[in-house]
Amino acid sequence: MVKALYEGRLAVDIAGLKMQTPVTTGSGTFGFGLEFRDFLDLEKVGAVTVKGTSLLPAAGNKGQRAIETPSGMLNCIGLENPGSEYFLEHTLPELRKYDVPVIVNIYGHSPEEYGEVAKKLDVDGVDAVEINISCPNVKEGGIVFGTCPEAAAEVVRAVKANTSKMVITKLSPNVTDIVTMAKAVEEAGTDAISMINTLLGTVIDIDRQKPVLGNITGGLSGPAVRPVAVRLVYQVAQAVNVPIIGMGGIMNARDAIEFMLAGASAVSVGTVNFIQPDIAETIAHGMLEYLDKHNVQSINDIVGLALPNGRASMPYLNK
Amino acid sequence: MPKTIATAKVVGQKVLNSTIKILEVYAPEIANQALPGQFVNVQVCKNTAPLLRRPFGVAGVNKEAGTFTIIYRIIGEATHILADVCSGDELSIVGPLGKGFDMTAEKPLLVGGGLGLAPLKFLAEGFGAGKTDILMGGRTKEEVCWTCIYDELSDKVFVTTDDGSDGTKGTVMALLPELLASGVYDCVYVCGPVPMMKAVANACLEANVKCQVSLEKYMACGLGACLSCACGGIGKRLKVCTDGPVFWAEEVVEW
């Protein structure tokens, strides 16, 4: 990078992944990044997290795949993607024309398959992999690994054993105790945690008297889930030794800062990309305004401030 | 052709019938670029409910004035809000989006129903006054009130209604085979309910006449990112928002 963006005031280092701003993009909400080039400068996004990628192409779910809900939306895309081969051959070279870290969200149907995808993507140009153990919309894999601590740990170990990249594990909120899940993936060697994936929901068409979505259930995202996500980040930040990428309904800089005060070292914008396709870049300006208003030099200095004992509550910041 | 997020200024709204309105906005960056068949994604308010933008086919442009129109039915929360916007109000609009119609036909026949008649209006304008014929179908006379628009735009206007209150009784299929058999048309452009489009596509296949369909599917982003609007093509997945919304009928395997 020629010159630090925003005088480095928004720069963060997430387990070795250096980002010019703390803002990455929620997997599945930003395509492969290239779809948004007309609206923003990809090099002013902290990192681009691409759509969930599997070993082989996947067609996703049949029937209606999305429906708006109060201040949110449900989706059951089912991880449709062109597969790792296509990604490496066609998408990555295009994305690599931009000086921006690339995080590839990966999923498989078994720990071995997760390992295989990780190995395949252990190439130049990929900066980190994010393990999707929490997609609620695929029958095998996804949520199975996302709700059982032992299964989650097994997936993380399989990925870690097959990649030299920084590994992020994305947690599901659809569990009884997320701290147990967080500790399990930390123990298994994840370098960072991203949270939260979507919350399970259903909408029924009362005239057709049937669920709207082809998959019956879908994942709830958007501002409706934000307080849930902030609460979960607040809990996990006090329990783990790895950095957290916080997400869930962030619409603007205010929301992003809320996550960071709760202990997230970086954030991810998701559903809002659909509404404001330039947000992954423009949200930085609001963050700088906040830093000025509170007379803080670096965004890193606000991480965890809202925790019970402030930053002292975070094992990660006090290693 | 870059897509933009425009702050569009509302010029005004007109009423087409009891539930359908025509909205004209000033947004030269979109009006100057939009092609027939393309759509825009409109944010009806800045609140978080309704949250998502709503997609509407461009119904016409006035490049000199820098304006374009969309035609919509007042049906849900978002369109109720839209129905209340007034001249001078601002709307955030992303566009132009998607791929438009093939414009190479010598003698085009447009076939439409419901709000599908909105993008076809822009198509008829694109071909030029009197160049196209149109076959429109609706349940009742009120649903085919679009004749007032197409009488000025198209050459021949054929009408069918389910209840026989206007034109020929039945669906567009009551007239289409005969029109295709006439050999006058080298391309059919259809936009309407899925059963109509499938029937028209099949009839065109049988008559060996080229056919383009303009699909509508629930979409969140309109940019090819969310994959809500995916459908099945030949050996590959298609996105209605970026690969379409206009496809050659034979490209679409799973609607």
Side-chain angles (χ1 to χ4, degrees):
Chain A
M1 314 217 171
V2 183
K3 189 168 178 279
L5 273 181
Y6 313 118
E7 295 159 344
R9 296 180 71 194
L10 297 182
V12 297
D13 182 329
I14 306 297
L17 181 71
K18 291 183 173 54
M19 295 164 47
Q20 295 242 51
T21 83
V23 183
T24 178
T25 56
S27 171
T29 65
F30 202 61
F32 292 99
L34 305 168
E35 295 87 341
F36 289 75
R37 281 178 292 189
D38 283 353
F39 304 105
L40 49 68
D41 181 351
L42 283 176
E43 299 190 354
K44 289 186 177 163
V45 179
V48 170
T49 305
V50 303
K51 173 83 185 155
T53 297
S54 48
L55 203 54
L56 300 172
N61 287 323
K62 289 193 182 302
Q64 188 167 333
R65 288 176 163 192
I67 181 72
E68 182 160 333
T69 58
S71 296
M73 65 176 285
L74 281 181
N75 88 81
C76 58
I77 308 305
L79 292 172
E80 172 174 341
N81 79 98
S84 51
E85 197 95 10
Y86 184 93
F87 173 76
L88 288 171
E89 213 166 297
H90 300 279
T91 316
L92 190 60
E94 200 58 33
L95 206 43
R96 273 294 39 120
K97 292 178 182 166
Y98 301 89
D99 189 9
V100 62
V102 172
I103 303 172
V104 185
N105 182 283
I106 60 168
Y107 83 97
H109 300 94
S110 64
E112 295 72 31
E113 200 181 320
Y114 274 97
E116 274 182 74
V117 191
K119 193 171 203 168
K120 194 138 201 182
L121 293 167
D122 192 19
V123 298
D124 282 351
V126 171
D127 296 282
V129 290
E130 178 182 58
I131 309 176
N132 186 351
I133 51 163
S134 48
C135 180
N137 297 323
V138 287
K139 286 194 179 61
E140 295 162 46
I143 201 74
V144 180
F145 300 113
T147 53
C148 168
E150 292 78 25
E154 208 184 326
V155 170
V156 173
R157 280 193 295 268
V159 171
K160 280 295 285 185
N162 281 287
T163 184
S164 61
K165 308 295 175 187
M166 188 273 238
V167 172
I168 305 163
T169 306
K170 187 166 183 177
L171 298 184
S172 168
N174 303 305
V175 293
T176 311
D177 178 18
I178 201 160
V179 171
T180 307
M181 294 301 302
K183 286 190 156 167
V185 298
E186 179 191 16
E187 181 79 31
T190 196
D191 300 300
I193 285 170
S194 58
M195 57 188 290
I196 59 174
N197 206 319
T198 54
L199 287 147
L200 276 176
T202 295
V203 171
I204 290 168
D205 179 331
I206 63 163
D207 290 319
R208 282 176 55 241
Q209 304 181 334
K210 285 190 166 51
V212 169
L213 296 179
N215 194 47
I216 301 171
T217 59
L220 179 65
S221 64
V225 311
R226 197 175 62 239
V228 178
V230 171
R231 187 260 299 181
L232 292 170
V233 168
Y234 194 87
Q235 280 181 295
V236 171
Q238 297 175 62
V240 296
N241 243 316
V242 292
I244 297 169
I245 302 172
M247 66 190 80
I250 293 175
M251 294 297 287
N252 48 43
R254 181 241 158 252
D255 300 346
I257 283 156
E258 187 180 13
F259 273 87
M260 298 190 80
L261 294 172
S265 298
V267 294
S268 189
V269 287
T271 302
V272 66
N273 290 313
F274 302 155
I275 303 144
Q276 285 176 262
D278 60 349
I279 191 73
E281 175 184 341
T282 57
I283 198 168
H285 305 298
M287 293 179 146
L288 289 170
E289 273 172 37
Y290 178 85
L291 293 185
D292 287 341
K293 181 178 161 196
H294 289 267
N295 206 16
V296 179
Q297 177 57 30
S298 162
I299 196 79
N300 293 290
D301 298 336
I302 72 162
V303 173
L305 286 180
L307 294 169
N309 296 313
R311 291 159 64 82
S313 301
M314 281 179 67
Y316 169 63
L317 293 180
N318 298 280
K319 278 203 266 196
Chain B
M1 197 173 52
K3 303 156 185 164
T4 56
I5 310 174
T7 302
K9 195 159 249 181
V10 174
V11 176
Q13 301 213 61
K14 280 186 227 165
V15 171
L16 184 62
N17 70 15
S18 61
T19 58
I20 297 176
K21 284 184 116 171
I22 305 172
L23 169 70
E24 183 175 14
V25 297
Y26 173 78
E29 58 274 58
I30 293 176
N32 286 331
Q33 293 191 65
L35 301 169
Q38 289 191 302
F39 67 100
V40 292
N41 221 352
V42 180
Q43 187 175 28
V44 300
C45 71
K46 298 284 182 190
N47 302 331
T48 59
L51 180 67
L52 300 171
R53 291 172 180 271
R54 295 295 191 272
F56 300 98
V58 177
V61 300
N62 182 338
K63 288 190 183 179
E64 274 160 40
T67 67
F68 68 91
T69 54
I70 59 170
I71 305 181
Y72 63 96
R73 179 180 285 135
I74 306 166
I75 194 166
E77 202 183 343
T79 46
H80 273 99
I81 293 170
L82 199 56
D84 287 336
V85 303
C86 299
S87 166
D89 288 350
E90 285 181 346
L91 290 169
S92 169
I93 302 184
V94 173
L97 301 174
K99 297 205 172 100
F101 292 105
D102 175 87
M103 301 293 293
T104 58
E106 288 291 321
K107 184 61 190 177
L109 175 67
L110 318 186
V111 183
L115 269 297
L117 291 161
L120 291 179
K121 172 183 169 287
F122 189 18
L123 179 62
E125 287 166 356
F127 275 114
K131 278 271 289 179
T132 57
D133 289 352
I134 181 150
L135 166 60
M136 66 177 77
R139 275 170 296 198
T140 61
K141 189 179 169 70
E142 192 183 21
E143 284 192 6
V144 290
C145 64
W146 300 70
T147 46
C148 63
I149 292 172
Y150 283 97
D151 279 343
E152 290 174 16
L153 268 181
S154 291
D155 181 13
K156 298 194 182 76
V157 179
F158 304 100
V159 174
T160 65
T161 51
D162 293 355
D163 64 359
S165 54
D166 196 0
T168 304
K169 188 170 181 192
T171 69
V172 293
M173 293 309 292
L175 292 181
L176 184 68
E178 193 183 322
L179 291 170
L180 293 178
S182 71
V184 172
Y185 306 105
D186 62 336
C187 191
V188 170
Y189 299 87
V190 57
C191 188
V194 169
M196 174 193 276
M197 291 197 286
K198 279 188 177 174
V200 170
N202 283 336
C204 289
L205 190 67
E206 277 171 31
N208 200 22
V209 175
K210 288 189 292 178
C211 177
Q212 283 206 312
V213 297
S214 179
L215 303 192
E216 181 184 52
K217 272 212 161 191
Y218 197 97
M219 58 180 72
C221 69
L223 306 172
C226 74
L227 305 186
S228 302
C229 66
C231 62
I234 301 168
K236 61 173 180 178
R237 303 290 299 167
L238 300 171
K239 299 170 193 171
V240 169
C241 64
T242 50
D243 295 320
V246 178
F247 297 98
W248 291 105
E250 63 271 18
E251 285 181 278
V252 187
V253 178
E254 171 210 319
W255 294 61

